[in-house]
Amino acid sequence: MPADERPVTTHDLRVMKRDGTKIVALTAYDALFGRLVDDAGADVILDRYLDYFVNDLGGQPTTLSATLEQMIYHGRITRAGVRRAMLVLDMPFLTYQVSIEDAKRNVGRVMQLTGA
């Protein structure tokens, strides 16, 4: 893949911040918009599943009902459209707050299964 198509890493973001380069971060909820936002040159894509699907489409008053499995499933859908940008996902309630060990295990699963 060409150098400009190389996936964005945390190191890239640190260098951009250090150099004063603007970091473009946008939201996408699925493969189609993930691809559109990625192709437009975003550096970071935030999959806001929790807010959009649980609250807006699901009609729930809070995001407390979201599960880790839902986040993983939805993250995989968005990842399917993203090639270059760094994909960032929310972590559902009580998937990282209980203990450091739980946080590491759950975040590891999300990273492994979604590429986020």
Side-chain angles (χ1 to χ4, degrees), residues 30-37 77 81:
D30 56 29
L32 173 62
F33 280 91
R35 172 63 46 89
L36 291 171
V37 171
I77 289 172

Side-chain angles (χ1 to χ4, degrees), residues 12-111:
D12 296 326
L13 296 176
R14 290 178 59 148
V15 169
M16 291 171 75
K17 181 176 179 177
R18 180 196 68 208
D19 294 346
T21 304
K22 293 192 184 292
I23 298 170
V24 177
L26 296 169
T27 300
Y29 305 106
D30 56 29
L32 173 62
F33 280 91
R35 172 63 46 89
L36 291 171
V37 171
D38 193 50
D39 287 348
D43 302 302
V44 177
I45 296 176
L46 176 59
D47 183 331
R48 292 299 306 254
Y49 166 81
L50 293 175
D51 293 330
Y52 182 63
F53 280 96
V54 175
N55 294 124
D56 299 341
L57 292 180
Q60 300 300 308
T62 71
T63 60
L64 296 178
S65 65
T67 67
L68 189 62
E69 284 68 30
Q70 289 171 322
M71 192 71 249
I72 289 169
Y73 172 78
H74 199 269
R76 290 176 74 165
I77 289 172
T78 303
R79 166 54 69 198
V82 177
R83 294 177 313 219
R84 182 190 155 277
M86 176 180 287
L87 181 62
V88 176
L89 305 176
D90 290 330
M91 292 296 290
F93 182 66
L94 291 181
T95 60
Y96 62 93
Q97 300 99 323
V98 177
S99 71
I100 291 173
E101 293 77 24
D102 284 345
K104 287 179 183 179
R105 181 178 54 256
N106 289 330
V107 169
R109 270 190 76 217
V110 169
M111 291 175 69

